[in-house]
Protein backbone atom coordinates (compact mmCIF):
# COMPACT_ATOMS: atom_id res chain seq x y z
CA UNK A 1 0.00 0.00 0.00
CA UNK A 2 1.30 3.45 -0.90
CA UNK A 3 1.77 6.10 1.78
CA UNK A 4 1.99 9.88 1.43
CA UNK A 5 5.23 11.64 2.29
CA UNK A 6 5.01 14.04 5.20
CA UNK A 7 6.01 17.11 3.21
CA UNK A 8 5.33 18.28 -0.31
CA UNK A 9 8.02 20.06 -2.35
CA UNK A 10 8.91 23.73 -2.29
CA UNK A 11 7.25 25.80 -5.03
CA UNK A 12 9.04 28.87 -6.38
CA UNK A 13 8.78 31.37 -9.22
CA UNK A 14 12.14 32.70 -10.34
CA UNK A 15 12.70 36.02 -12.08
CA UNK A 16 15.96 37.39 -13.31
CA UNK A 17 17.22 40.69 -11.97
CA UNK A 18 17.75 42.92 -15.01
CA UNK A 19 18.15 46.37 -13.55
CA UNK A 20 19.92 48.17 -10.75
CA UNK A 21 17.86 49.56 -7.88
CA UNK A 22 18.15 51.94 -4.95
CA UNK A 23 20.40 50.57 -2.22
CA UNK A 24 18.93 50.47 1.28
CA UNK A 25 22.39 50.74 2.83
CA UNK A 26 24.43 53.38 0.99
CA UNK A 27 21.29 54.97 -0.57
CA UNK A 28 22.80 54.80 -4.06
CA UNK A 29 19.84 55.34 -6.38
CA UNK A 30 20.94 52.68 -8.87
CA UNK A 31 23.54 50.63 -7.06
CA UNK A 32 21.80 47.52 -5.75
CA UNK A 33 21.34 44.36 -7.79
CA UNK A 34 20.07 40.94 -6.80
CA UNK A 35 18.42 37.80 -8.11
CA UNK A 36 15.06 36.91 -6.61
CA UNK A 37 12.26 34.40 -6.50
CA UNK A 38 8.84 34.19 -4.92
CA UNK A 39 8.36 31.25 -2.57
CA UNK A 40 4.77 30.03 -2.51
CA UNK A 41 6.04 27.51 0.01
CA UNK A 42 9.39 26.15 1.05
CA UNK A 43 10.69 23.30 3.18
CA UNK A 44 13.09 24.18 5.99
CA UNK A 45 15.77 21.95 4.44
CA UNK A 46 15.54 23.78 1.11
CA UNK A 47 15.83 27.15 2.84
CA UNK A 48 18.77 25.91 4.91
CA UNK A 49 20.55 24.90 1.70
CA UNK A 50 19.66 28.22 0.05
CA UNK A 51 21.03 30.43 2.83
CA UNK A 52 24.19 28.32 2.71
CA UNK A 53 24.47 29.55 -0.89
CA UNK A 54 23.97 33.25 -0.04
CA UNK A 55 20.18 33.54 -0.31
CA UNK A 56 17.99 35.26 2.29
CA UNK A 57 14.27 35.79 2.65
CA UNK A 58 12.12 38.82 3.42
CA UNK A 59 8.61 37.50 3.81
CA UNK A 60 8.03 35.24 0.82
CA UNK A 61 10.54 37.04 -1.36
CA UNK A 62 13.86 35.15 -1.42
CA UNK A 63 16.81 37.06 -2.86
CA UNK A 64 20.51 36.68 -3.55
CA UNK A 65 22.72 39.73 -4.15
CA UNK A 66 24.79 39.83 -7.33
CA UNK A 67 27.95 40.09 -5.27
CA UNK A 68 30.43 41.27 -7.88
CA UNK A 69 28.07 43.94 -9.24
CA UNK A 70 26.03 45.33 -6.35
CA UNK A 71 27.26 48.51 -4.69
CA UNK A 72 27.30 47.02 -1.16
CA UNK A 73 28.27 43.32 -1.26
CA UNK A 74 26.34 41.38 1.38
CA UNK A 75 28.13 38.37 2.86
CA UNK A 76 26.15 35.77 4.78
CA UNK A 77 27.43 35.67 8.36
CA UNK A 78 26.96 33.04 11.03
CA UNK A 79 28.00 32.99 14.67
CA UNK A 80 29.16 29.84 16.46
CA UNK A 81 27.07 29.98 19.65
CA UNK A 82 28.67 26.97 21.35
CA UNK A 83 31.96 28.89 21.54
CA UNK A 84 30.47 32.36 21.93
CA UNK A 85 31.60 34.51 24.84
CA UNK A 86 29.90 37.88 25.36
CA UNK A 87 32.22 40.84 24.98
CA UNK A 88 32.53 43.63 27.51
CA UNK A 89 30.03 45.75 25.56
CA UNK A 90 27.58 42.81 25.36
CA UNK A 91 27.77 42.32 29.13
CA UNK A 92 27.17 46.02 29.60
CA UNK A 93 23.90 45.75 27.65
CA UNK A 94 22.74 42.73 29.67
CA UNK A 95 23.59 44.37 32.99
CA UNK A 96 21.82 47.54 31.88
CA UNK A 97 18.66 45.49 31.27
CA UNK A 98 18.95 43.76 34.67
CA UNK A 99 19.42 47.09 36.45
CA UNK A 100 16.41 48.57 34.66
CA UNK A 101 14.19 45.60 35.54
CA UNK A 102 15.31 45.47 39.17
CA UNK A 103 15.44 49.15 40.07
CA UNK A 104 13.97 51.02 37.14
CA UNK A 105 17.27 52.79 36.56
CA UNK A 106 18.00 54.20 33.13
CA UNK A 107 21.68 54.44 32.27
CA UNK A 108 22.86 57.90 31.36
CA UNK A 109 24.79 58.59 28.19
CA UNK A 110 24.33 57.52 24.61
CA UNK A 111 21.34 55.36 23.77
CA UNK A 112 22.71 54.57 20.34
CA UNK A 113 21.83 51.01 19.42
CA UNK A 114 23.15 48.52 16.94
CA UNK A 115 20.69 48.40 13.99
CA UNK A 116 19.67 44.73 14.08
CA UNK A 117 17.75 44.96 10.79
CA UNK A 118 14.98 46.78 12.62
CA UNK A 119 12.92 47.09 9.48
CA UNK A 120 12.53 44.96 6.40
CA UNK A 121 13.34 47.98 4.26
CA UNK A 122 16.87 47.99 5.64
CA UNK A 123 17.06 44.23 5.17
CA UNK A 124 16.36 44.14 1.45
CA UNK A 125 16.97 47.73 0.46
CA UNK A 126 16.28 48.48 -3.17
CA UNK A 127 14.81 45.04 -3.84
CA UNK A 128 11.38 46.49 -3.12
CA UNK A 129 11.66 48.37 -6.38
CA UNK A 130 12.25 45.07 -8.17
CA UNK A 131 9.31 43.35 -6.49
CA UNK A 132 6.89 46.17 -7.19
CA UNK A 133 7.67 45.96 -10.92
CA UNK A 134 6.69 42.32 -11.12
CA UNK A 135 3.50 41.35 -12.87
CA UNK A 136 3.42 37.58 -13.04
CA UNK A 137 0.43 36.40 -15.06
CA UNK A 138 -0.48 33.39 -12.97
CA UNK A 139 -3.87 32.54 -11.49
CA UNK A 140 -3.13 30.86 -8.18
CA UNK A 141 -6.32 28.79 -8.19
CA UNK A 142 -5.53 27.50 -11.65
CA UNK A 143 -1.97 26.80 -10.57
CA UNK A 144 -3.29 24.86 -7.58
CA UNK A 145 -5.65 22.63 -9.58
CA UNK A 146 -3.10 22.12 -12.35
CA UNK A 147 -0.41 21.11 -9.92
CA UNK A 148 -2.76 18.77 -8.09
CA UNK A 149 -3.63 17.00 -11.33
CA UNK A 150 0.01 16.84 -12.33
CA UNK A 151 1.12 15.44 -8.99
CA UNK A 152 -1.64 12.82 -9.11
CA UNK A 153 -0.55 11.78 -12.60
CA UNK A 154 3.13 11.71 -11.73
CA UNK A 155 2.59 9.76 -8.54
CA UNK A 156 0.37 7.19 -10.22
CA UNK A 157 3.37 6.39 -12.40
CA UNK A 158 5.59 6.30 -9.32
CA UNK A 159 3.14 4.01 -7.57
CA UNK A 160 3.32 1.54 -10.44
CA UNK A 161 7.09 1.60 -10.49
CA UNK A 162 7.28 1.43 -6.70
CA UNK A 163 5.67 -2.01 -6.77
CA UNK A 164 8.67 -3.14 -8.73
CA UNK A 165 11.27 -1.19 -6.77
CA UNK A 166 9.77 -1.55 -3.32
CA UNK A 167 9.32 2.20 -2.83
CA UNK A 168 6.09 3.54 -1.38
CA UNK A 169 6.72 7.25 -0.88
CA UNK A 170 4.28 9.62 -2.57
CA UNK A 171 3.54 13.32 -2.53
CA UNK A 172 0.11 14.17 -1.19
CA UNK A 173 -1.69 16.37 -3.79
CA UNK A 174 -4.07 17.64 -1.11
CA UNK A 175 -1.11 19.07 0.81
CA UNK A 176 0.07 20.79 -2.37
CA UNK A 177 -3.37 22.28 -2.98
CA UNK A 178 -3.65 23.63 0.55
CA UNK A 179 -0.14 25.03 0.33
CA UNK A 180 -0.82 26.96 -2.87
CA UNK A 181 -4.25 28.09 -1.79
CA UNK A 182 -2.84 29.80 1.29
CA UNK A 183 -0.22 31.88 -0.53
CA UNK A 184 -0.42 35.34 -2.05
CA UNK A 185 -1.71 35.48 -5.64
CA UNK A 186 1.34 35.57 -7.85
CA UNK A 187 -0.32 37.78 -10.46
CA UNK A 188 -0.19 40.68 -8.03
CA UNK A 189 2.94 40.46 -5.92
CA UNK A 190 3.24 43.04 -3.20
CA UNK A 191 5.67 43.12 -0.30
CA UNK A 192 4.08 43.96 3.02
CA UNK A 193 6.43 46.13 4.95
CA UNK A 194 6.95 45.42 8.63
CA UNK A 195 4.67 47.17 11.11
CA UNK A 196 5.83 50.49 12.48
CA UNK A 197 7.63 50.08 15.80
CA UNK A 198 5.21 49.61 18.66
CA UNK A 199 2.12 49.72 16.44
CA UNK A 200 1.84 46.85 14.01
CA UNK A 201 2.96 43.95 16.22
CA UNK A 202 0.51 41.41 17.58
CA UNK A 203 -0.86 42.91 20.77
CA UNK A 204 -2.73 39.82 21.87
CA UNK A 205 -2.02 38.62 25.38
CA UNK A 206 0.57 35.91 25.97
CA UNK A 207 -0.89 32.40 25.63
CA UNK A 208 -2.12 30.67 28.75
CA UNK A 209 0.24 28.27 30.48
CA UNK A 210 -0.44 25.26 32.66
CA UNK A 211 -0.95 26.06 36.34
CA UNK A 212 1.33 23.17 37.33
CA UNK A 213 4.17 24.62 35.28
CA UNK A 214 3.69 28.07 36.79
CA UNK A 215 3.66 26.70 40.35
CA UNK A 216 6.89 24.80 39.65
CA UNK A 217 8.57 27.93 38.35
CA UNK A 218 7.47 29.95 41.40
CA UNK A 219 8.95 27.30 43.70
CA UNK A 220 12.22 27.34 41.77
CA UNK A 221 12.33 31.13 41.85
CA UNK A 222 11.76 31.15 45.61
CA UNK A 223 14.52 28.62 46.16
CA UNK A 224 16.90 30.70 44.06
CA UNK A 225 16.17 33.82 46.06
CA UNK A 226 16.45 32.15 49.48
CA UNK A 227 19.44 29.89 48.87
CA UNK A 228 23.09 30.93 49.36
CA UNK A 229 24.94 32.10 46.29
CA UNK A 230 25.88 29.21 44.02
CA UNK A 231 23.70 26.64 45.81
CA UNK A 232 21.42 26.18 42.81
CA UNK A 233 23.73 26.90 39.90
CA UNK A 234 22.16 24.18 37.77
CA UNK A 235 18.56 25.33 38.34
CA UNK A 236 16.83 26.59 35.22
CA UNK A 237 15.54 30.13 34.94
CA UNK A 238 11.76 30.69 35.01
CA UNK A 239 10.17 29.95 31.66
CA UNK A 240 13.33 28.43 30.22
CA UNK A 241 14.26 24.79 29.55
CA UNK A 242 16.88 23.17 31.74
CA UNK A 243 20.39 23.87 30.52
CA UNK A 244 23.30 21.46 30.54
CA UNK A 245 25.68 24.19 29.41
CA UNK A 246 28.39 24.92 31.97
CA UNK A 247 27.48 27.57 34.53
CA UNK A 248 29.95 30.13 35.74
CA UNK A 249 31.31 29.47 39.22
CA UNK A 250 31.35 32.20 41.83
CA UNK A 251 35.02 32.99 41.15
CA UNK A 252 34.56 33.11 37.38
CA UNK A 253 32.97 35.70 35.09
CA UNK A 254 29.24 35.20 34.55
CA UNK A 255 28.22 33.30 31.45
CA UNK A 256 25.73 34.50 28.85
CA UNK A 257 23.01 32.36 30.47
CA UNK A 258 23.80 33.69 33.95
CA UNK A 259 23.36 37.26 32.77
CA UNK A 260 20.23 36.66 30.69
CA UNK A 261 18.34 34.34 33.04
CA UNK A 262 19.27 36.01 36.33
CA UNK A 263 16.19 36.21 38.54
CA UNK A 264 14.75 39.59 39.40
CA UNK A 265 14.00 40.45 43.04
CA UNK A 266 10.43 40.14 44.28
CA UNK A 267 10.11 43.92 44.48
CA UNK A 268 11.50 44.47 40.97
CA UNK A 269 10.41 47.70 39.29
CA UNK A 270 9.65 46.03 35.97
CA UNK A 271 8.80 42.59 34.62
CA UNK A 272 10.06 41.35 31.25
CA UNK A 273 8.31 38.32 29.71
CA UNK A 274 8.70 36.41 26.46
CA UNK A 275 6.37 34.45 24.24
CA UNK A 276 7.21 32.46 21.14
CA UNK A 277 4.79 31.17 18.52
CA UNK A 278 4.65 30.11 14.90
CA UNK A 279 4.06 32.89 12.39
CA UNK A 280 3.06 33.03 8.75
CA UNK A 281 5.90 32.54 6.30
CA UNK A 282 6.70 30.46 3.23
CA UNK A 283 8.49 27.93 5.45
CA UNK A 284 6.60 24.72 6.15
CA UNK A 285 6.34 23.99 9.87
CA UNK A 286 7.81 20.59 10.71
CA UNK A 287 7.82 18.60 13.96
CA UNK A 288 10.09 15.57 13.58
CA UNK A 289 10.55 13.37 16.64
CA UNK A 290 14.27 14.11 16.79
CA UNK A 291 13.88 17.85 16.19
CA UNK A 292 13.50 20.80 18.58
CA UNK A 293 10.53 20.64 20.93
CA UNK A 294 9.04 23.70 19.22
CA UNK A 295 9.65 22.20 15.78
CA UNK A 296 11.13 23.86 12.69
CA UNK A 297 9.66 26.89 10.93
CA UNK A 298 9.21 30.64 11.41
CA UNK A 299 8.49 32.14 14.81
CA UNK A 300 7.67 35.47 16.42
CA UNK A 301 9.40 36.19 19.71
CA UNK A 302 7.50 38.83 21.61
CA UNK A 303 9.10 40.95 24.33
CA UNK A 304 6.54 42.11 26.92
CA UNK A 305 7.45 44.76 29.49
CA UNK A 306 4.90 45.15 32.29
CA UNK A 307 2.20 43.76 30.02
CA UNK A 308 3.12 46.01 27.07
CA UNK A 309 4.78 44.64 23.94
CA UNK A 310 8.00 46.53 23.24
CA UNK A 311 9.68 44.36 20.58
CA UNK A 312 9.02 41.49 18.20
CA UNK A 313 11.81 39.39 16.78
CA UNK A 314 11.30 37.10 13.78
CA UNK A 315 13.44 33.97 13.57
CA UNK A 316 13.57 30.86 11.40
CA UNK A 317 14.46 27.58 13.11
CA UNK A 318 16.15 25.42 10.48
CA UNK A 319 17.83 22.00 10.51
CA UNK A 320 21.27 23.39 11.39
CA UNK A 321 20.68 26.89 12.71
CA UNK A 322 18.54 29.66 14.09
CA UNK A 323 18.32 32.40 11.46
CA UNK A 324 17.50 35.93 12.59
CA UNK A 325 15.15 37.59 10.09
CA UNK A 326 14.48 41.02 11.58
CA UNK A 327 13.39 42.88 14.71
CA UNK A 328 10.77 45.54 15.35
CA UNK A 329 11.00 47.55 18.56
CA UNK A 330 9.39 50.54 20.21
CA UNK A 331 11.84 53.46 19.87
CA UNK A 332 10.80 54.68 23.32
CA UNK A 333 12.86 51.80 24.69
CA UNK A 334 15.95 52.27 22.54
CA UNK A 335 17.90 53.02 25.73
CA UNK A 336 17.74 49.27 26.46
CA UNK A 337 19.72 48.44 23.28
CA UNK A 338 17.06 45.96 22.24
CA UNK A 339 18.88 45.04 19.02
CA UNK A 340 21.90 43.80 20.95
CA UNK A 341 19.80 42.30 23.72
CA UNK A 342 17.60 40.30 21.33
CA UNK A 343 20.64 38.98 19.45
CA UNK A 344 22.20 37.74 22.70
CA UNK A 345 18.95 36.07 23.73
CA UNK A 346 18.73 34.36 20.33
CA UNK A 347 22.28 33.10 20.69
CA UNK A 348 21.40 31.67 24.11
CA UNK A 349 18.24 30.15 22.61
CA UNK A 350 20.31 28.47 19.89
CA UNK A 351 22.47 26.89 22.59
CA UNK A 352 19.36 25.58 24.32
CA UNK A 353 18.06 24.06 21.08
CA UNK A 354 21.44 22.40 20.56
CA UNK A 355 21.08 20.49 23.83
CA UNK A 356 18.07 18.62 22.47
CA UNK A 357 18.90 18.70 18.75
CA UNK A 358 22.68 18.60 18.40
CA UNK A 359 22.76 19.52 14.69
CA UNK A 360 21.31 22.98 15.48
CA UNK A 361 24.69 24.60 16.09
CA UNK A 362 24.76 28.01 14.39
CA UNK A 363 23.15 31.43 14.64
CA UNK A 364 22.78 33.18 11.28
CA UNK A 365 22.72 36.97 11.51
CA UNK A 366 21.78 37.75 7.92
CA UNK A 367 24.30 39.76 5.92
CA UNK A 368 27.58 41.35 6.93
CA UNK A 369 28.34 44.47 4.89
CA UNK A 370 31.90 45.60 5.44
CA UNK A 371 31.51 48.68 3.24
CA UNK A 372 28.57 49.95 5.33
CA UNK A 373 29.69 51.20 8.78
CA UNK A 374 26.30 50.68 10.41
CA UNK A 375 26.25 47.00 9.38
CA UNK A 376 29.80 46.07 10.45
CA UNK A 377 28.69 45.53 14.07
CA UNK A 378 27.63 41.95 13.23
CA UNK A 379 31.30 41.03 13.07
CA UNK A 380 31.55 41.68 16.82
CA UNK A 381 29.70 38.46 17.70
CA UNK A 382 32.65 36.07 17.79
CA UNK A 383 33.56 33.48 16.76
CA UNK A 384 31.83 33.95 13.42
CA UNK A 385 32.30 33.00 9.78
CA UNK A 386 31.60 34.58 6.41
CA UNK A 387 30.39 32.65 3.37
CA UNK A 388 32.67 32.65 0.33
CA UNK A 389 30.54 34.08 -2.53
CA UNK A 390 32.14 31.79 -5.13
CA UNK A 391 32.74 28.39 -3.51
CA UNK A 392 30.23 28.65 -0.62
CA UNK A 393 32.57 27.49 2.12
CA UNK A 394 32.68 29.14 5.54
CA UNK A 395 35.78 31.14 6.46
CA UNK A 396 36.54 32.66 9.91
CA UNK A 397 35.85 36.37 9.76
CA UNK A 398 39.32 37.24 11.03
CA UNK A 399 40.76 35.79 7.83
CA UNK A 400 38.34 37.79 5.66
CA UNK A 401 38.69 41.28 7.12
CA UNK A 402 42.14 42.14 5.66
CA UNK A 403 40.87 41.36 2.16
CA UNK A 404 37.66 43.34 2.70
CA UNK A 405 39.70 46.35 3.82
CA UNK A 406 41.24 46.38 0.35
CA UNK A 407 38.21 45.47 -1.77
CA UNK A 408 34.44 45.46 -1.28
CA UNK A 409 34.10 42.21 -3.18
CA UNK A 410 36.31 39.27 -2.22
CA UNK A 411 36.62 35.56 -2.76
CA UNK A 412 37.47 34.18 0.69
CA UNK A 413 38.53 30.71 -0.40
CA UNK A 414 42.29 30.98 -0.83
CA UNK A 415 42.52 27.87 -3.01
CA UNK A 416 42.45 29.19 -6.60
CA UNK A 417 41.55 25.73 -7.89
CA UNK A 418 38.53 25.29 -5.60
CA UNK A 419 35.09 25.34 -7.19
CA UNK A 420 31.49 25.32 -5.99
CA UNK A 421 30.98 21.67 -5.05
CA UNK A 422 27.20 22.11 -4.86
CA UNK A 423 26.88 23.69 -8.29
CA UNK A 424 24.35 22.52 -10.83
CA UNK A 425 26.00 19.65 -12.68
CA UNK A 426 22.94 18.02 -14.24
CA UNK A 427 20.46 20.80 -15.14
CA UNK A 428 18.25 18.34 -17.03
CA UNK A 429 17.27 16.88 -13.63
CA UNK A 430 15.84 20.22 -12.44
CA UNK A 431 12.10 19.91 -11.69
CA UNK A 432 9.70 22.17 -13.57
CA UNK A 433 5.95 22.67 -13.20
CA UNK A 434 4.44 23.65 -16.55
CA UNK A 435 0.97 23.24 -18.07
CA UNK A 436 -0.44 20.88 -15.48
CA UNK A 437 2.67 18.73 -15.46
CA UNK A 438 5.69 18.21 -13.24
CA UNK A 439 8.63 17.21 -15.39
CA UNK A 440 12.42 17.25 -15.47
CA UNK A 441 13.93 20.18 -17.32
CA UNK A 442 15.34 17.76 -19.88
CA UNK A 443 11.77 17.07 -21.01
CA UNK A 444 10.53 20.64 -20.60
CA UNK A 445 13.19 22.24 -22.80
CA UNK A 446 12.30 20.04 -25.79
CA UNK A 447 8.97 21.88 -26.03
CA UNK A 448 10.40 25.41 -25.81
CA UNK A 449 11.29 27.61 -28.74
CA UNK A 450 12.36 30.74 -26.86
CA UNK A 451 16.14 30.62 -26.39
CA UNK A 452 16.01 33.15 -23.54
CA UNK A 453 13.91 30.68 -21.56
CA UNK A 454 16.82 28.28 -21.35
CA UNK A 455 19.21 30.98 -20.17
CA UNK A 456 16.85 31.95 -17.33
CA UNK A 457 16.29 28.38 -16.15
CA UNK A 458 19.99 27.56 -16.27
CA UNK A 459 20.74 30.72 -14.31
CA UNK A 460 18.23 29.65 -11.66
CA UNK A 461 19.87 26.20 -11.48
CA UNK A 462 23.32 27.69 -11.04
CA UNK A 463 22.15 29.93 -8.21
CA UNK A 464 20.15 27.40 -6.15
CA UNK A 465 22.55 24.49 -6.73
CA UNK A 466 21.98 20.88 -7.75
CA UNK A 467 20.23 19.64 -4.59
CA UNK A 468 17.60 22.37 -4.46
CA UNK A 469 17.02 22.32 -8.21
CA UNK A 470 16.10 18.63 -7.98
CA UNK A 471 13.83 19.05 -4.95
CA UNK A 472 12.04 22.34 -5.57
CA UNK A 473 9.37 22.86 -8.23
CA UNK A 474 10.15 25.77 -10.57
CA UNK A 475 6.92 27.24 -11.93
CA UNK A 476 7.02 28.34 -15.56
CA UNK A 477 4.05 29.78 -17.46
Amino acid sequence: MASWSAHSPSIVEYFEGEDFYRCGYCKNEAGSRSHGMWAHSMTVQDYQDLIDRGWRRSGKYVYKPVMDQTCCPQYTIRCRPLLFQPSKSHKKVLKKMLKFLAKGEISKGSFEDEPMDSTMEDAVGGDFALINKLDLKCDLKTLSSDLKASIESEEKKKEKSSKKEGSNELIDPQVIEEKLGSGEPSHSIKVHRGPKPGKGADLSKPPCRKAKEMRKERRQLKLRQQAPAGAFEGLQAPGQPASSLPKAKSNQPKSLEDLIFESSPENASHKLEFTRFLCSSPLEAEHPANGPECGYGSFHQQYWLDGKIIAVGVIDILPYCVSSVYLYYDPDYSFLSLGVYSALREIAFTRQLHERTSQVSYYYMGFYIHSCPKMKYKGQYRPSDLLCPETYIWVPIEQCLPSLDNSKYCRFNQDPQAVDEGRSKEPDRLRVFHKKSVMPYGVYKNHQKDSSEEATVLQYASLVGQKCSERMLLFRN
Side-chain angles (χ1 to χ4, degrees):
M1 167 134 352
S3 63
W4 300 115
S5 64
H7 303 286
S8 49
S10 303
I11 304 171
V12 299
E13 296 182 63
Y14 175 75
F15 31 89
E16 182 182 6
E18 299 177 351
D19 299 315
F20 288 84
Y21 301 93
R22 183 176 188 273
C23 177
Y25 300 108
C26 70
K27 311 306 179 184
N28 185 318
E29 291 298 328
S32 179
R33 184 171 186 178
S34 66
H35 301 289
M37 57 187 175
W38 191 260
H40 289 285
S41 65
M42 184 166 287
T43 66
V44 291
Q45 184 60 63
D46 283 341
Y47 187 55
Q48 175 73 69
D49 289 342
L50 286 174
I51 62 175
D52 284 336
R53 293 184 62 82
W55 292 82
R56 180 165 167 78
R57 79 174 185 88
S58 178
K60 293 192 175 185
Y61 178 58
V62 188
Y63 64 103
K64 185 182 191 304
V66 182
M67 297 291 283
D68 58 350
Q69 298 181 34
T70 193
C71 56
C72 296
Q74 302 162 54
Y75 299 91
T76 302
I77 182 171
R78 72 178 186 185
C79 173
R80 286 174 263 162
L82 305 186
L83 299 175
F84 174 79
Q85 293 293 333
S87 66
K88 185 178 295 186
S89 63
H90 293 152
K91 291 180 179 179
K92 185 177 179 180
V93 169
L94 295 174
K95 291 177 180 178
K96 178 170 59 176
M97 175 66 81
L98 291 173
K99 184 181 294 186
F100 173 73
L101 296 177
K103 302 178 181 180
E105 295 181 5
I106 300 177
S107 300
K108 296 182 179 180
S110 174
F111 295 155
E112 187 174 337
D113 193 13
E114 296 177 356
M116 286 294 291
D117 288 351
S118 57
T119 67
M120 285 191 291
E121 185 171 8
D122 284 338
V124 297
D127 290 313
F128 283 105
L130 169 63
I131 301 170
N132 291 333
K133 286 187 176 183
L134 297 176
D135 184 22
L136 303 182
K137 305 299 183 180
C138 170
D139 187 323
L140 198 57
K141 293 183 179 179
T142 303
L143 174 61
S144 174
S145 60
D146 289 352
L147 183 57
K148 177 181 177 181
S150 173
I151 292 293
E152 288 174 339
S153 174
E154 183 182 40
E155 298 309 332
K156 282 180 181 179
K157 297 177 182 177
K158 287 186 178 180
E159 185 174 1
K160 292 180 181 179
S161 62
S162 68
K163 294 179 181 179
K164 299 179 182 179
E165 300 173 2
S167 172
N168 63 354
E169 183 179 10
L170 298 175
I171 300 174
D172 186 353
Q174 182 62 32
V175 174
I176 291 281
E177 183 177 30
E178 292 175 356
K179 177 191 296 186
L180 286 170
S182 62
E184 289 85 351
S186 57
H187 66 274
S188 178
I189 291 183
K190 295 181 180 178
V191 171
H192 302 284
R193 296 176 183 266
K196 293 182 179 180
K199 294 183 179 181
D202 185 359
L203 298 178
S204 60
K205 294 181 179 179
C208 296
R209 297 162 58 206
K210 293 181 179 180
K212 181 179 179 181
E213 179 185 351
M214 297 176 69
R215 289 197 298 269
K216 181 180 178 181
E217 290 180 0
R218 284 197 293 269
R219 287 197 301 269
Q220 291 175 344
L221 178 58
K222 190 173 182 180
L223 286 172
R224 270 182 171 268
Q225 294 169 343
Q226 294 177 351
F232 292 92
E233 288 180 352
L235 195 62
Q236 70 191 70
Q240 302 294 335
S243 174
S244 62
L245 290 168
K247 299 289 182 177
K249 296 181 180 180
S250 57
N251 61 342
Q252 293 180 344
K254 288 186 176 181
S255 69
L256 177 63
E257 285 74 17
D258 291 329
L259 290 167
I260 287 181
F261 303 138
E262 182 173 319
S263 300
S264 299
E266 291 184 356
N267 61 344
S269 298
H270 300 285
K271 184 179 182 181
L272 185 64
E273 298 175 295
F274 304 88
T275 61
R276 184 181 302 112
F277 56 92
L278 278 168
C279 62
S280 176
S281 92
L283 300 187
E284 297 279 317
E286 299 181 20
H287 295 83
N290 61 345
E293 186 174 353
C294 58
Y296 298 110
S298 299
F299 296 81
H300 277 166
Q301 295 197 115
Q302 293 184 345
Y303 294 70
W304 295 79
L305 181 66
D306 302 331
K308 174 187 176 182
I309 194 166
I310 62 170
V312 178
V314 181
I315 61 171
D316 294 330
I317 300 179
L318 304 174
Y320 304 116
C321 73
V322 170
S323 175
S324 178
V325 184
Y326 43 79
L327 173 79
Y328 318 122
Y329 62 87
D330 188 331
D332 290 343
Y333 296 91
S334 60
F335 63 88
L336 292 174
S337 301
L338 291 173
V340 182
Y341 184 77
S342 65
L344 295 173
R345 283 199 69 98
E346 289 170 2
I347 289 173
F349 177 54
T350 305
R351 284 153 65 140
Q352 290 177 343
L353 292 179
H354 174 80
E355 294 172 28
R356 173 183 170 92
T357 309
S358 60
Q359 64 266 31
V360 179
S361 303
Y362 299 100
Y363 174 62
Y364 285 49
M365 296 179 284
F367 289 134
Y368 173 81
I369 307 175
H370 193 73
S371 58
C372 180
K374 77 171 186 176
M375 298 302 291
K376 292 173 67 173
Y377 71 91
K378 294 183 179 182
Q380 299 172 9
Y381 295 80
R382 304 284 180 94
S384 58
D385 309 301
L386 297 183
L387 187 67
C388 176
E390 296 182 10
T391 62
Y392 303 113
I393 66 165
W394 294 98
V395 180
I397 192 171
E398 295 86 354
Q399 298 178 23
C400 304
L401 295 180
S403 298
L404 289 172
D405 287 337
N406 295 323
S407 175
K408 291 194 297 185
Y409 174 74
C410 299
R411 171 192 167 109
F412 301 136
N413 192 328
Q414 297 301 307
D415 180 1
Q417 304 301 320
V419 296
D420 170 18
E421 295 296 337
R423 67 190 183 280
S424 174
K425 302 173 184 177
E426 299 179 83
D428 283 357
R429 294 173 61 87
L430 178 151
R431 297 180 75 193
V432 175
F433 175 67
H434 176 65
K435 290 187 176 180
K436 303 183 180 181
S437 297
V438 175
M439 65 189 76
Y441 177 64
V443 174
Y444 170 80
K445 69 179 181 180
N446 292 331
H447 303 284
Q448 302 305 306
K449 298 180 180 180
D450 185 357
S451 58
S452 64
E453 175 83 357
E454 180 176 15
T456 299
V457 174
L458 292 180
Q459 182 184 67
Y460 160 82
S462 69
L463 294 171
V464 303
Q466 187 68 36
K467 289 190 296 185
C468 283
S469 70
E470 289 189 40
R471 290 195 304 251
M472 302 192 302
L473 294 183
L474 173 64
F475 172 75
R476 305 303 295 174
N477 60 11

